[in-house]
Amino acid sequence: MKNTSVNVINRTLIYGLFILIAVIVFYPLLYVVAGAFAPGKSISEMSIIPFTVETINPSTGQMSFSFKGAFTLDHFKHLIFETNYWLWFRNTLIISLWTAILTVIISSISAYVFSRFNFVFKHSLLMSLLILQIFPSFVGMIAIYVILMRIGGLDTLWGLVLVYTAGNIPYNTWMVKSYMDTVSKNLDEAARIDGASHFRIYSTIILPVVRPIISFLAISSFTGPWMDFIFPKMVLRSPEKQTLAVGLISFVDERVNEFTTFAAGSLIVAVPFIIFFLLTQKSMMMSMGSGAVKE
């Protein structure tokens, strides 16, 4: 009986903690969803509870409720037909896709070289990558701006892709290399005996084995630039080159107070990630559980 009581208490505490975390996480999201469909422009006076208590009968204790507010899609129509939202969406998608592709290619090849080959200054180069990752990106913002200005990368999408890719390489090279180190070199040797080249070994043997870390790298590299604000604000100047973060913030600056439109845009931004997660969560879990011979 004592053990049963302890288990019940522990389970209650765990469930209570999970419920508290869920409330903290989902409470702001409820405001975003409610604001996206609420009429008007401001959400300062809006409540996520769609009804109010009108009267309470003292004798019976019955309460009557009345729904307040209204449901509207005007904010979504305004975004789609009257703003450059889809242009911002396209620019952000191009930047994020190219950043993910280049990061995966460069980081995986670099990790393969560091994991499988011995050469002069190998340790020093690895330490240099680690040291570069220690400093925050804000430290080099002036240098980044000057470099982009000299090479003609300001106010261009490829300039922003260059910034993101360069910032992703150090840490991601270390991460993928650490995963490749666990893959047995017997696979390389067996393929080399059969006459496979280094690139063939990398592309047809190593990459399928390290697919879980490559998938994680692609997702993290894509989501990083998706809603970044600092670097697009610094690099991009033309209205037609703006990204989602820079474009959406224009609805809530010191001159404009369209928080409901901002909420509608934020909700649309989250939809692709939700769909992507629902479609890939099973394959991601299966790939994380699979593997080859490891040392």
Side-chain angles (χ1 to χ4, degrees):
M1 292 295 294
K2 183 177 181 181
N3 292 333
T4 303
S5 301
V6 172
N7 292 334
V8 171
I9 294 174
N10 291 336
R11 188 176 302 175
T12 303
L13 292 176
I14 293 174
Y15 286 161
L17 179 61
F18 285 161
I19 293 173
L20 178 62
I21 294 174
V23 170
I24 295 175
V25 172
F26 285 105
Y27 186 76
L29 298 179
L30 291 177
Y31 263 105
V32 174
V33 175
F37 297 98
K41 296 183 178 181
S42 177
I43 62 175
S44 58
E45 299 179 357
M46 184 194 69
S47 175
I48 60 175
I49 302 176
F51 55 84
T52 55
V53 179
E54 288 293 326
T55 59
I56 300 178
N57 192 326
S59 59
T60 62
Q62 294 180 349
M63 297 179 295
S64 62
F65 299 90
S66 66
F67 285 85
K68 61 181 179 180
F71 179 87
T72 181
L73 296 175
D74 292 341
H75 309 308
F76 296 95
K77 295 178 182 178
H78 174 65
L79 279 173
I80 295 173
F81 299 108
E82 301 178 15
T83 68
N84 293 326
Y85 184 84
W86 293 115
L87 180 62
W88 305 336
F89 191 96
R90 187 201 66 179
N91 294 338
T92 308
L93 183 62
I94 292 173
I95 293 171
S96 300
L97 281 177
W98 275 107
T99 300
I101 293 171
L102 293 177
T103 300
V104 168
I105 293 174
I106 298 174
S107 297
S108 61
I109 293 177
S110 302
Y112 176 75
V113 172
F114 281 115
S115 176
R116 290 307 198 251
F117 297 96
N118 292 318
F119 50 89
V120 181
F121 302 123
K122 173 183 176 179
H123 183 73
S124 300
L125 290 174
L126 284 172
M127 289 299 103
S128 299
L129 293 176
L130 187 61
I131 292 173
L132 286 174
Q133 196 62 33
I134 294 175
F135 299 98
S137 57
F138 297 99
V139 175
M141 289 187 67
I142 297 177
I144 292 173
Y145 185 88
V146 173
I147 292 173
L148 290 179
M149 181 177 62
R150 291 181 177 178
I151 65 176
L154 286 179
D155 199 24
T156 62
L157 300 184
W158 67 263
L160 204 55
V161 171
L162 183 63
V163 172
Y164 288 132
T165 304
N168 288 340
I169 290 174
Y171 172 76
N172 291 319
T173 299
W174 263 92
M175 180 178 65
V176 179
K177 175 195 174 296
S178 299
Y179 196 94
M180 285 186 179
D181 288 341
T182 64
V183 179
S184 176
K185 293 184 179 180
N186 294 332
L187 297 175
D188 304 49
E189 296 173 359
R192 196 171 294 111
I193 291 174
D194 292 337
S197 62
H198 291 298
F199 182 78
R200 181 71 179 273
I201 296 173
Y202 158 78
S203 59
T204 61
I205 296 177
I206 301 299
L207 282 185
V209 175
V210 300
R211 183 177 59 181
I213 197 66
I214 295 297
S215 301
F216 173 78
L217 175 60
I219 294 172
S220 61
S221 301
F222 181 87
T223 56
W226 185 259
M227 284 305 293
D228 182 43
F229 175 78
I230 300 298
F231 283 107
K233 186 66 174 179
M234 181 186 72
V235 175
L236 304 177
R237 292 290 183 269
S238 304
E240 65 273 9
K241 299 291 181 63
Q242 288 183 345
T243 60
L244 281 171
V246 179
L248 287 177
I249 205 66
S250 63
F251 294 117
V252 289
D253 59 12
E254 64 274 4
R255 299 181 302 273
V256 183
N257 184 21
E258 299 182 6
F259 282 93
T260 49
T261 305
F262 179 85
S266 302
L267 198 61
I268 298 178
V269 169
V271 170
F273 287 100
I274 297 174
I275 296 175
F276 180 79
F277 176 77
L278 293 177
L279 294 177
T280 61
Q281 61 172 339
K282 185 176 180 179
S283 61
M284 281 291 295
M285 295 301 297
M286 292 177 62
S287 64
M288 290 297 289
S290 63
V293 181
K294 294 188 177 182
E295 294 178 337

